[in-house]
Amino acid sequence: MRPLAVTLDQSVAVLANPSAGRGRHAGTFDEVLQRLRAAGHAVRVLDTPSRDAALAAAREAVHDGVAALVAVGGDGTMHLALQAVAGTSTPLGVVPAGTGNDFATEVGVPTDPLAAAAAIARGLAAGQGRAFDLARMTAPGSTDPTWFGAVLGAGFDAVVNERANRMRWPRGPRRYDVAIMAELARLRARTYSVTLDGVASEEPAILVAVGNTASYGGGLRVCPDADPTDGLLDVVIGRPMSRWTVTRLKPRLYAGTHVNDPLVVQHRAREVVLAAEGITTYADGERALPLPVSITAVPGALTLVG
């Protein structure tokens, strides 16, 4: 446990995405706020008309010294909140209301939004949080980091996300199914430069994932042994394989048993440098940086309450 230096004169700032999870929890939002107030703090909802405005408001709230920043939404909302709280003393509360909620699930946040809000209030009242590692990613020559809590996709998964985000039809989850089929039809391995704690290698691969926690995509345990308290990143590489093998392995991702296949290898490192042509990475399911990138495990960079 990590003690929280909070007082009742500090407010709780709420970063909310009402459309998360296709809006299925929107009707409980007022009750979520009521549960958060049980700790005795004033609660204010940040004005977030756009992603940039949301990030600016979250950073301003942290700078002003809120008791906690609470993300109400899915992994995307959590990812946005991380950019404001990572490496600071401000605790993060997560109320899972998205479709995947992978990070929240992996760190033991209650799956019910009302139960999660009540747990945050109890943690604030008790002055206790939990410390977790985060991954810090930078582009060459840049000191402006992108933080992530769950998994970075830099292979076939990232290519599928890029295609899906360009598509206007169909809407909803079907869009990703169509994108998967389209990218399977043109499946090819790329050559990655992979440097793990200073040791470089060239890896032909179709899948490269870097995990602080185990899962992404709503329960796909792509890095099944990742532990957000061990100070290390798990790197999973899928070597060149046929379309049939990819299709056969996909169901095994839910159990994490794909890593037993001889075409899948695992590594662990404190620092990972990835480079390849034509890849834009996705962190916590959000579009992030194009390769090349450097990724470092930062022990205890996040204080989680609830």
Side-chain angles (χ1 to χ4, degrees):
M1 300 298 285
R2 175 178 283 177
L4 305 179
V6 299
T7 59
L8 286 179
D9 62 340
Q10 294 173 289
S11 64
V12 171
V14 176
L15 182 67
N17 178 8
S19 64
R22 295 186 286 279
R24 71 179 186 274
H25 294 299
T28 64
F29 185 59
D30 287 344
E31 193 168 350
V32 164
L33 298 181
Q34 184 177 337
R35 298 285 178 99
L36 291 174
R37 293 187 184 102
H41 297 267
V43 174
R44 59 187 177 97
V45 180
L46 300 179
D47 185 20
T48 56
S50 67
R51 188 185 187 281
D52 288 345
L55 180 55
R59 284 176 167 161
E60 183 178 0
V62 170
H63 180 267
D64 289 346
V66 291
L69 178 65
V70 176
V72 182
D75 283 325
T77 310
M78 178 280 305
H79 178 79
L80 196 64
L82 285 184
Q83 311 315 308
V85 302
T88 75
S89 60
T90 302
L92 174 69
V94 178
V95 176
T99 53
N101 306 312
D102 287 281
F103 178 77
T105 300
E106 291 293 331
V107 297
V109 171
T111 56
D112 175 70
L114 298 181
I120 293 167
R122 288 194 299 271
L124 288 172
Q128 293 289 334
R130 295 179 288 152
F132 289 100
D133 306 341
L134 292 176
R136 184 182 186 273
M137 175 170 57
T138 55
S142 173
T143 57
D144 186 23
T146 296
W147 297 85
F148 65 92
V151 177
L152 177 83
F156 179 73
D157 45 6
V159 174
V160 167
N161 268 307
E162 278 289 272
R163 175 177 283 271
N165 286 337
R166 292 194 303 267
M167 294 166 59
R168 295 294 174 262
W169 182 92
R171 295 185 180 276
R174 281 269 303 148
R175 183 173 56 179
Y176 291 91
D177 295 336
V178 173
I180 288 170
M181 296 307 297
E183 289 301 330
L184 272 176
R186 59 198 299 268
L187 181 70
R188 66 180 178 88
R190 287 175 166 83
T191 299
Y192 288 79
S193 171
V194 181
T195 304
L196 305 174
D197 290 336
V199 179
S201 64
E202 297 291 313
E203 297 277 358
I206 64 163
L207 172 74
V208 178
V210 180
N212 180 55
T213 61
S215 70
Y216 66 175
L220 297 171
R221 299 184 64 78
V222 64
C223 300
D225 299 322
D227 179 351
T229 63
D230 65 1
L232 297 170
L233 300 167
D234 279 34
V235 182
V236 172
I237 297 173
R239 289 179 169 154
M241 60 185 74
S242 67
R243 297 179 185 89
W244 162 246
T245 302
V246 172
T247 304
R248 178 177 58 82
L249 283 179
K250 185 175 183 291
R252 295 173 60 183
L253 282 164
Y254 287 100
T257 57
H258 61 291
V259 296
N260 299 326
D261 190 281
L263 292 176
V264 180
V265 295
Q266 296 184 90
H267 303 281
R268 236 175 224 149
R270 286 182 171 80
E271 184 171 1
V272 179
V273 181
L274 295 179
E277 292 293 328
I279 293 289
T280 296
T281 64
Y282 277 73
D284 300 328
E286 297 295 296
R287 195 174 196 267
L289 300 176
L291 296 184
V293 296
S294 297
I295 311 154
T296 304
V298 182
L302 174 67
T303 301
L304 190 75
V305 60

